[in-house]
Amino acid sequence: MNKAVRKAIIAGNWKMNKTPAEATQLIGEILAANEGKDVSGCEVIACVPYVDIDAAVKAAAGSFIKIGAENCHWAKSGAFTGEISADMLVACGVEYVIIGHSERRQYFGETDLTVNQRVKAALEAGLKVILCVGELLEQREQGITAEIIAMQTKIDLLDITAEQMANIIIAYEPVWAIGTGKTATADQAEEVCAHIRATLATLYGEAVAEATTIQYGGSMNAKNAAELLGKTNVDGGLIGGAALKAADFSAIISAAQA
Ligand code: PEP
């Protein structure tokens, strides 16, 4: 992290877990675990399933936890059965949205072009975007991680302006490390996060690149968080499994205070 120039952000991705009642409980537990602690060293977000948004917004009201969603559609409204628009999320009190998570790409046909459309719609509605990029294991083994990451970053951010970048966080999530218990080493995470920053510099210039928060995600947990967050270009974490346990998520929040 380099807090002198950019914000550290710890975000939980709850995926398809927790009912509204369980969401209220988990947020209450996270708040209780952090009571009396100084958590001002990072921003904290819980990205929750659509049906949990109302409960989560109420449970987190007035606290340090901000609420995010896990996806949104690119259209403002219309015949898209089963989908949710960015405006709908804003109306429910959501501030952030994850776009382009590898599980959306892998299981729901998400492409860089649809990711780009969703990013634009989310920004237009006033949401802040956590944009996920990451290579597959085969791509890492082929030695093309840098090309894949640069390509995803460039297509996903097509037509996004330098001003709009103030509302974009990038999450580097190597697909082989998500939910597998295999974490990228701190050096691997730093190398790719630095590469994303260099790619942003070619697109928007040094100042925007330096100011953009770039998170690492992929089996980050209470034990490895401090080492990962100790790297200059790793400005936070997007956390799946460990975000579902108040003690683990709180330990990561604490690690981000340094
Ligand atoms: C994620 O879902 O974005 C993620 C990083 O999951 P996990 O922490 O479980 O690997």
Side-chain angles (χ1 to χ4, degrees), residues 165-209:
M165 284 303 294
N167 290 320
I168 300 235
I169 299 152
I170 300 195
Y172 165 54
E173 297 212 309
V175 180
W176 48 272
I178 297 177
T180 58
K182 278 188 207 157
T183 316
T185 65
D187 286 342
Q188 286 171 323
E190 169 67 9
E191 186 184 20
V192 181
C193 289
H195 176 61
I196 293 170
R197 202 174 304 288
T199 304
L200 294 179
T202 66
L203 296 174
Y204 300 106
E206 283 294 334
V208 168

Side-chain angles (χ1 to χ4, degrees), residues 84-200:
I84 303 282
S85 75
D87 286 340
M88 290 170 178
L89 296 178
V90 171
C92 292
V94 167
E95 292 179 58
Y96 289 83
V97 63
I98 297 172
I99 304 278
H101 191 278
S102 66
E103 286 152 17
R104 302 292 319 168
R105 296 176 190 256
Q106 191 177 351
Y107 304 126
F108 301 101
E110 192 79 70
T111 67
D112 286 311
L113 288 174
T114 56
V115 167
N116 175 247
Q117 285 181 284
R118 290 182 207 273
V119 169
K120 286 181 196 161
L123 291 175
E124 217 168 280
L127 292 169
K128 295 192 179 97
V129 170
I130 300 176
L131 168 64
C132 300
V133 296
E135 82 286 3
L136 304 171
L137 183 58
E138 302 86 291
Q139 293 167 334
R140 176 162 282 269
E141 286 173 349
Q142 249 185 294
I144 57 170
T145 297
E147 286 103 311
I148 293 291
I149 297 296
M151 187 189 71
Q152 289 179 349
T153 304
K154 287 177 184 176
I155 301 174
D156 296 354
L157 293 176
L158 206 67
D159 298 329
I160 302 303
T161 66
E163 290 68 37
Q164 287 177 308
M165 284 303 294
N167 290 320
I168 300 235
I169 299 152
I170 300 195
Y172 165 54
E173 297 212 309
V175 180
W176 48 272
I178 297 177
T180 58
K182 278 188 207 157
T183 316
T185 65
D187 286 342
Q188 286 171 323
E190 169 67 9
E191 186 184 20
V192 181
C193 289
H195 176 61
I196 293 170
R197 202 174 304 288
T199 304
L200 294 179

Side-chain angles (χ1 to χ4, degrees), residues 5-90:
V5 290
R6 50 191 174 257
K7 216 184 278 175
I9 302 182
I10 298 298
N13 172 18
W14 290 13
K15 311 195 188 201
M16 195 172 72
N17 292 294
K18 306 292 177 189
T19 63
E22 290 166 345
T24 301
Q25 189 182 339
L26 178 54
I27 293 205
E29 286 170 5
I30 297 167
L31 292 176
N34 287 281
E35 206 166 310
K37 288 190 194 165
D38 180 8
V39 290
S40 60
C42 69
E43 201 158 292
V44 179
I45 306 163
C47 296
V48 305
Y50 293 135
V51 295
D52 293 344
I53 287 170
D54 188 50
V57 166
K58 285 182 181 137
S63 79
F64 65 88
I65 301 176
K66 298 182 166 38
I67 301 303
E70 299 174 14
N71 190 23
C72 72
H73 198 262
W74 56 78
K76 278 191 121 22
S77 61
F80 298 102
T81 301
E83 290 296 317
I84 303 282
S85 75
D87 286 340
M88 290 170 178
L89 296 178
V90 171

